[in-house]
């Protein structure tokens, strides 16, 4: 690990003071320290935000929830309001990592966790995300866990998170504090960036911008589900996952929110897939049509080709359960 | 830096890059906590911070100076075993024993989570949670056992959970 200057922030305003000199925030540390040990991340200053007063979950006037950026994944999954009204979010959190990791991992850190691409982790290999302009070893390499949607000629990595997939289905808003003291509200739909030719830029956050909260609107109507498919039954990242909230009225699909993990460089959402379902009676033929629309531009790289039919089957199974 | 570990106050001079795990093992000779992977993937380093189980390998010591830290050494002693330690012995919940301190600290934290009614990935309902073997396996999935002593580990934890209920 490279040496760094350690600063313990006493308030959000204090934390954003440190922008500039290669500073990074550290919350739970479960992703950042992993990467610092491998010298993939080499911050000059580490700003400890773990004791900031951002660890509460509050009701909003709009009937939603305001989740502090430091709320641990365990506590968010176990919150009575989340269990009762945002089951998809509890389920996504509980499907991620392990009990120990969820106790430390935070809401803000989870959103910003970095890819699990094997070559990103292997500092002996070229990787545009780690070293801009160095090339992408994954293209033409071993691609089992890599993306099939939203890729570019520079990077085919996925965002590995589960919680952010549920948050995308729930239309979350990310609330931040900028270095200049301004606050911003960013829809999760605008938060992540496609890789294009700058895969090292993953979000629209400015240097030193602190996530303070995630706001959830009231939950959409209907049943909720998070289905995760992975190589072992627990403690593994998603190959494919579906977060869904679907309502059926009088035998007709009245609303649908669907987001996907494991497929692209960000938690994936395609509202044209949802539009296709609306106003129709649930049927396997309809679900297959929705899956085909989702995957129309999907591109496998060989070892990850299986993700395309797997996604189709997972979406059909999820929609069956959501509309049963 | 200062630390409170198993009720004892320690003062040590360490680099701010030192993980909690290395602090325990290399600087304080508390070698019960084990290093398997050093990357959060095996659970051998599990300890309790303010009663919650975490991976000490993915924690910086400098960030935990004001916390109440409990390691396997603080749970029981050879003369006075913690109920989980005794249950691991009577059920043969190990072969080589390398993962065992992490398994036991994790199980202590896990049973406390269960007492708080926290659901898990395999809970059919998020409202009422029962303890069964599937729940134990899922909740303990962050602790890998290379010797695959899993059936006996589950037996040991089931016994202690039943006695506590
Ligand atoms: C073995 C293992 C298995 C895992 N399995 C899964 C899994 O199945 N599913 C899953 O979703 N995740 C999984 N994870 C990842 C885990 O969820 C993340 O490591 C965790 O959520 C990161 O949160 P943190 O608070 O520890 O972040 P940190 O490591 O503290 O920070 C991560 C990044 O976010 C930045 N950051 C943190 N907080 C803020 C803030 N408030 N504002 C601005 N920037 C901030 C940091 O600067 C850093 O760049 C796994 C991790 C491990 C080690
Ligand atoms: S896919 Fe992206 S993260 Fe993986 S090696 Fe290529 S550039 Fe790096
Ligand atoms: S040594 Fe910490 S999880 Fe493996
Ligand atoms: S007893 Fe050997 S690793 Fe678990």
């Amino acid at each position: 690990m490279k040496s760094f200057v350690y600063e313990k922030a006493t308030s959000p305003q204090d934390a954003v003071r440190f922008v500039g000199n290669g500073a990074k925030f550290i919350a739970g540390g479960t992703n950042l320290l992993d990467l610092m040990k491998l010298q993939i991340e080499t911050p000059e200053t580490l700003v400890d935000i773990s004791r900031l007063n951002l660890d509460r979950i509050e009701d909003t006037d709009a009937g939603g929830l305001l989740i502090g950026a430091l709320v641990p994944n365990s506590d968010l999954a176990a919150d009575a309001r989340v269990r009762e009204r945002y089951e998809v979010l509890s389920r996504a959190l509980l499907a991620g990592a392990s009990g120990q990791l969820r106790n430390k991992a935070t809401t803000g850190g989870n959103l910003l966790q970095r890819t699990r691409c094997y070559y990103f982790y292997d500092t002996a290999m070229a990787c545009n995300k780690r070293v801009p302009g160095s090339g992408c070893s994954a293209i033409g390499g071993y691609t089992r866990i890599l993306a099939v949607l939203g890729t570019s000629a520079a990077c085919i990595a996925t965002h590995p998170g589960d919680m952010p997939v549920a948050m995308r289905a729930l239309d979350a808003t990310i609330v931040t504090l900028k270095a200049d003291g301004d606050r911003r509200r960013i829809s999760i739909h605008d938060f992540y960036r496609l890789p294009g030719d700058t895969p090292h830029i993953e979000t629209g956050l400015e240097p030193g911008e602190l996530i303070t909260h995630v706001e959830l609107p009231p939950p959409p109507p209907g049943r909720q589900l998070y289905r995760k498919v992975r190589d072992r039954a627990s403690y593994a990242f998603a190959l494919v996952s579906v977060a869904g909230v679907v309502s059926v009225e009088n035998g007709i699909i009245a609303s649908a929110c669907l987001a996907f993990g494991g497929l692209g460089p960000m938690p994936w959402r395609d509202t044209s897939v949802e539009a296709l379902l609306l106003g129709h009676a649930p049927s396997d033929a309809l679900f297959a049509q929705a899956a085909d629309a989702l995957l129309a531009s999907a591109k496998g790289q060989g070892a990850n080709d299986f993700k395309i039919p797997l996604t189709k089957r997972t979406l059909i199974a999820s929609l069956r359960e959501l509309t049963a | 830096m200062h630390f409170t570990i198993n009720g004892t106050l320690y003062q040590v001079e360490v680099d701010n890059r030192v993980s909690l795990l290395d602090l325990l093992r290399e600087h304080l000779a508390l070698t019960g906590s084990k290093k398997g992977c050093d990357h959060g993937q095996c659970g051998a380093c599990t300890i309790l911070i303010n009663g919650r189980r975490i991976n000490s390998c993915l924690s910086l010591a400098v960030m935990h100076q004001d916390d109440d830290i409990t390691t396997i050494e603080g749970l029981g002693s050879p003369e006075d075993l913690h109920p989980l330690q005794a249950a691991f012995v009577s059920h043969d919940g190990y072969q080589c024993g390398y993962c065992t301190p992490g398994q036991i600290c994790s199980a202590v934290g896990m049973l406390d989570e269960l007492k708080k009614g926290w659901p898990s990935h395999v809970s059919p309902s998020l409202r009422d949670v029962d303890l069964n073997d599937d729940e134990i396996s899922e909740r303990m999935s962050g602790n890998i056992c290379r010797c695959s002593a899993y059936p006996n580990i589950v037996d040991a934890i089931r016994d202690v959970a039943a006695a506590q209920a």
Side-chain angles (χ1 to χ4, degrees):
Chain A
M1 196 183 290
K2 287 264 165 71
S3 60
F4 53 82
V5 175
Y6 172 79
E7 301 282 359
K8 185 168 176 173
T10 55
S11 67
Q13 288 70 20
D14 184 43
V16 297
R17 262 182 334 118
F18 296 97
V19 216
N21 33 329
K24 277 236 154 213
F25 301 123
I26 183 163
T30 61
N31 189 227
L32 187 56
L33 287 172
D34 191 8
L35 296 169
M36 284 172 66
K37 287 182 184 193
L38 300 166
Q39 300 195 8
I40 294 165
E41 298 269 17
T42 52
E44 283 164 35
T45 304
L46 208 52
V47 183
D48 179 357
I49 59 169
S50 66
R51 304 303 154 122
L52 299 184
N53 202 2
L54 296 171
D55 59 354
R56 286 201 312 272
I57 306 174
E58 294 158 80
D59 296 308
T60 65
D61 292 341
L65 289 179
L66 187 66
I67 304 161
L70 292 170
V71 173
N73 289 178
S74 298
D75 299 65
L76 185 56
D79 184 87
R81 293 158 290 184
V82 177
R83 281 201 254 175
E84 188 66 33
R85 299 171 53 221
Y86 300 92
E87 173 158 7
V88 61
L89 178 57
S90 269
R91 291 283 179 195
L93 285 157
L94 294 170
S98 67
Q100 291 94 313
L101 287 161
R102 293 192 295 270
N103 274 338
K104 211 142 190 294
T106 64
T107 307
N110 195 318
L111 286 169
L112 294 176
Q113 64 175 296
R114 305 204 66 193
T115 187
R116 295 276 157 174
C117 171
Y118 325 103
Y119 304 100
F120 174 73
Y121 264 81
D122 183 348
T123 51
M125 304 298 287
C127 168
N128 287 323
K129 199 186 262 305
R130 183 164 28 76
V131 182
S134 63
C136 170
S137 307
I139 297 175
Y142 185 62
T143 58
R144 180 170 171 81
I145 64 169
L146 292 151
V148 294
L149 286 170
T151 57
S152 73
C155 181
I156 58 170
T158 62
H159 186 288
D162 292 298
M163 179 200 83
V165 181
M167 286 185 170
R168 189 137 194 219
L170 292 168
D171 295 315
T173 297
I174 289 136
V175 186
T176 71
L177 179 68
K178 293 205 292 179
D180 61 11
D182 282 357
R183 298 196 151 273
R184 273 217 283 177
R185 296 172 54 83
I186 312 166
S187 160
I188 192 163
H189 308 309
D190 305 324
F191 184 70
Y192 293 104
R193 291 284 150 93
L194 288 171
D197 51 13
T198 53
H200 59 291
I201 302 172
E202 295 169 355
T203 69
L205 289 181
E206 293 173 10
E209 188 166 0
L210 178 76
I211 299 176
T212 58
H213 300 87
V214 175
E215 188 175 327
L216 296 181
R223 268 199 208 168
Q224 303 189 12
L225 152 156
Y226 189 75
R227 184 182 281 246
K228 177 171 176 177
V229 184
R230 44 185 160 173
D231 278 330
R232 56 182 187 201
S234 188
Y235 201 18
F237 287 93
L239 291 167
V240 168
S241 70
V242 178
V245 187
V246 175
S247 68
V248 180
E249 280 168 29
N250 306 319
I252 298 296
I253 298 177
S255 64
C257 304
L258 298 168
F260 302 87
L263 297 183
M266 58 174 81
W268 202 256
R269 185 148 174 200
D270 180 344
T271 47
S272 69
V273 176
E274 298 162 14
L276 224 147
L277 296 168
L278 300 187
H280 295 282
S283 74
D284 278 5
L286 179 70
F287 302 158
Q289 209 188 327
D292 289 339
L294 170 71
L295 297 162
S297 64
K299 183 166 162 270
Q301 307 277 340
N304 68 349
D305 289 350
F306 75 96
K307 280 192 177 184
I308 298 170
L310 179 63
T311 303
K312 182 169 179 175
R313 290 198 301 274
T314 308
L315 178 56
I316 292 172
S318 301
L319 287 170
R320 272 188 203 142
E321 193 173 327
L322 284 163
T323 58
Chain B
M1 296 187 203
H2 60 271
F3 301 95
T4 309
I5 303 169
N6 304 326
T8 305
L9 190 67
Y10 294 84
Q11 294 275 352
V12 267
E13 215 164 286
V14 286
D15 191 287
N16 60 17
R17 289 173 288 184
V18 169
S19 69
L20 260 184
L21 178 60
D22 286 342
L23 172 82
L24 296 169
R25 292 184 54 81
E26 309 296 333
H27 298 272
L28 303 177
L30 291 166
T31 53
S33 309
K34 298 292 186 264
K35 184 183 283 189
C37 66
D38 215 21
H39 287 278
Q41 298 172 359
C42 75
C45 66
T46 304
I47 61 169
L48 299 158
I49 292 192
N50 306 324
R52 290 165 68 115
R53 55 178 172 159
I54 58 106
N55 304 90
S56 61
C57 68
L58 289 186
S59 309
L60 284 180
V62 65
M63 292 172 68
H64 293 282
Q65 296 185 75
D66 299 318
D67 290 325
D68 190 359
I69 298 168
T70 307
T71 67
I72 189 73
E73 290 90 345
L75 288 179
S77 63
E79 300 73 42
D80 182 19
L81 294 179
H82 183 278
L84 274 160
Q85 290 173 318
F88 268 64
V89 173
S90 61
H91 287 278
D92 250 345
Y94 43 76
Q95 284 184 43
C96 74
Y98 196 79
C99 71
T100 313
Q103 297 277 3
I104 291 177
C105 287
S106 185
V108 170
M110 184 274 273
L111 292 177
D112 191 54
E113 292 164 10
L114 202 71
K115 240 182 249 158
K116 291 190 271 188
W118 287 9
S120 86
H121 172 64
V122 299
S123 309
S125 151
L126 292 179
R127 287 194 200 133
D128 320 293
V129 173
D130 290 332
L131 189 65
N132 52 44
D133 288 2
D134 283 349
E135 286 278 0
I136 296 177
S137 298
E138 163 59 27
R139 289 165 191 263
M140 292 297 293
S141 74
N143 293 83
I144 310 288
C145 175
R146 189 67 186 80
C147 302
S148 213
Y150 300 113
N152 296 356
I153 294 172
V154 172
D155 289 347
I157 296 174
R158 187 195 316 107
D159 261 19
V160 174
Q164 283 185 359

